[in-house]
Amino acid sequence: MEPTLSEAAQQTALTGLATADVVPTWVWLATIGGIAALFIFDFVTHVRKPHEPTFKESALWSTFYVTLALLFGWGVWHFWDREHGIEYLAGFITEKSLSVDNLFVFVIIMKSFRVPAAYQQKALLIGIVIALVMRGIFIALGAAAIERFSWVFYLFGLFLLYTAYKLAVESFSHGAKSTDEEYEPNALVKYFQKHLPTTDDFRGNALTIVENGKRFFTPMFIVILALGMTDLLFALDSIPAIYGLTDAPYIVFTANAFALLGLLQLYFLLGGLLDRLVYLGLGLSLILAFIGVKLIIHAMEANTLSFVNGGQPIDGLPHITTGFSLSVILGILVVTTVASLLKSRSDDRKAG
């Protein structure tokens, strides 16, 4: 017996997600509200009282946020479908890996501005929130472009291949990334450093203070600006990368949000271990190159450009499934992580 319209509507409301890629507005609102609540919770529990987290504290909270992200993925799998569940997992792992690469720059920024350890949590969390808001805008723009122009996948694919090439060249010519590198502020940060009235030193974890009736910005404000703008630049790689794994904006947004959640704790957890991930850049370049090729193949399958195959889709191309993509991403990360740790151990023995 066919279900009635009201029964079908009730079933959709219970599952929360339709079988199509269109996610109900209330699910979007509930998700954004839940993520906002988690950031507020993070602020109240970790940032309101300035302190330097211990290794144990960072490990416990990092585990909590990763577990939460995986449980959310199970929810996508259960309430939506298997394919979207795999897309979310592949996207989350990719975004989390790229976020670890971001931590190198975060450490360098903290060292350059000599941010007291007790105040670093506040700077990081506010910077991450700024990055998430800006990424949300990027995701919406990307979704609108993809919906109207299928050839955007060509641009995304070529950009990722170029980024992968740059990462590979840096890895081979300059060696592994190091947190001892110098920080070079971008144009916006330099502008604010030059034109804003700022204090010479930190005033607790305040962003601004008033002295003699005049408002001054503290170095903490500049640090937060630098962190937010740096992560925004990293989004230029990560947003196209995840669109190579899924075309569902809901998956793109949630994978990014859960990758950024817990980044604060991961920063303190990894600490000096970052310098041991000597092959991380090379591994990420391989992942971005793989996704770039996947995007270009997808663009060819839906080709509408008149100067490519007469404006017709190209048949006979290999189909790269999301499951296969997930396997490749995990395989690259496992191999590069193990190789990095072995290389670091070997270097330590030689130095000893």
Side-chain angles (χ1 to χ4, degrees), residues 87-88 91-92 95 242 250-260:
E87 288 178 0
Y88 167 82
F92 169 72
E95 294 299 319
I242 193 171
Y250 183 78
I251 301 295
V252 176
F253 175 76
T254 52
N256 267 275
F258 278 102
L260 291 176

Side-chain angles (χ1 to χ4, degrees), residues 17-259:
L17 295 171
T19 54
D21 281 347
V22 179
V23 176
T25 303
W26 73 266
V27 175
W28 269 104
L29 294 176
T31 303
I32 293 172
I35 290 169
L38 286 170
F39 274 108
I40 293 172
F41 171 78
D42 217 358
F43 183 86
V44 171
T45 55
H46 300 111
V47 179
R48 189 173 61 175
K49 183 179 179 181
H51 68 286
E52 182 179 2
T54 64
F55 180 85
K56 181 180 178 181
E57 179 186 347
S58 300
L60 288 174
W61 283 109
S62 293
T63 302
F64 168 76
Y65 281 115
V66 171
T67 302
L68 197 63
L70 294 177
L71 285 174
F72 182 85
W74 173 86
V76 173
W77 184 306
H78 181 74
F79 292 110
W80 200 339
D81 58 39
R82 176 180 178 275
E83 183 65 21
H84 286 97
I86 295 176
E87 288 178 0
Y88 167 82
L89 184 59
F92 169 72
I93 292 173
T94 300
E95 294 299 319
K96 199 69 173 178
S97 303
L98 291 169
S99 295
V100 171
D101 194 45
N102 297 4
L103 293 182
F104 278 96
V105 183
F106 290 176
V107 172
I108 292 170
I109 290 174
M110 294 297 185
K111 286 183 177 180
S112 298
F113 286 95
R114 297 181 175 84
V115 183
Y119 304 142
Q120 290 181 9
Q121 288 192 96
K122 181 175 181 178
L124 283 166
L125 186 61
I126 297 177
I128 289 169
V129 170
I130 293 172
L132 181 59
V133 172
M134 297 303 294
R135 285 189 185 209
I137 296 172
F138 273 25
I139 291 166
L141 293 175
I146 289 169
E147 186 176 355
R148 294 190 61 185
F149 311 108
S150 61
W151 49 263
V152 168
F153 285 111
Y154 281 116
L155 296 181
F156 283 179
L158 291 172
F159 179 75
L160 288 183
L161 288 176
Y162 172 70
T163 304
Y165 169 75
K166 284 202 309 178
L167 271 175
V169 169
E170 288 175 5
S171 297
F172 284 114
S173 60
H174 302 297
K177 286 187 177 182
S178 171
T179 54
D180 292 327
E181 296 176 11
E182 292 293 325
Y183 168 65
E184 179 61 32
N186 59 38
L188 184 61
V189 175
K190 285 182 178 178
Y191 176 84
F192 280 109
Q193 284 179 311
K194 183 177 180 180
H195 292 89
L196 285 181
T198 57
T199 61
D200 294 329
D201 55 350
F202 288 86
R203 304 299 176 86
N205 61 1
L207 303 183
T208 65
I209 62 166
V210 176
E211 286 186 349
N212 300 322
K214 183 179 180 181
R215 184 166 295 278
F216 289 87
F217 292 87
T218 69
M220 177 67 77
F221 178 84
I222 303 298
V223 169
I224 290 172
L225 180 67
L227 291 170
M229 292 302 100
T230 297
D231 199 87
L232 180 60
L233 293 176
F234 280 115
L236 295 176
D237 299 336
S238 64
I239 299 302
I242 193 171
Y243 267 121
L245 300 168
T246 178
D247 57 2
Y250 183 78
I251 301 295
V252 176
F253 175 76
T254 52
N256 267 275
F258 278 102

Side-chain angles (χ1 to χ4, degrees), residues 293-336:
V293 171
K294 185 174 185 290
L295 277 168
I296 291 176
I297 290 175
H298 179 74
M300 290 178 174
E301 290 174 338
N303 178 61
T304 57
L305 294 178
S306 59
F307 56 86
V308 177
N309 198 40
Q312 298 300 313
I314 301 175
D315 299 323
L317 296 171
H319 179 65
I320 302 175
T321 65
T322 308
F324 179 74
S325 299
L326 177 59
S327 300
V328 170
I329 293 167
L330 284 173
I332 291 174
L333 289 175
V334 169
V335 170
T336 53

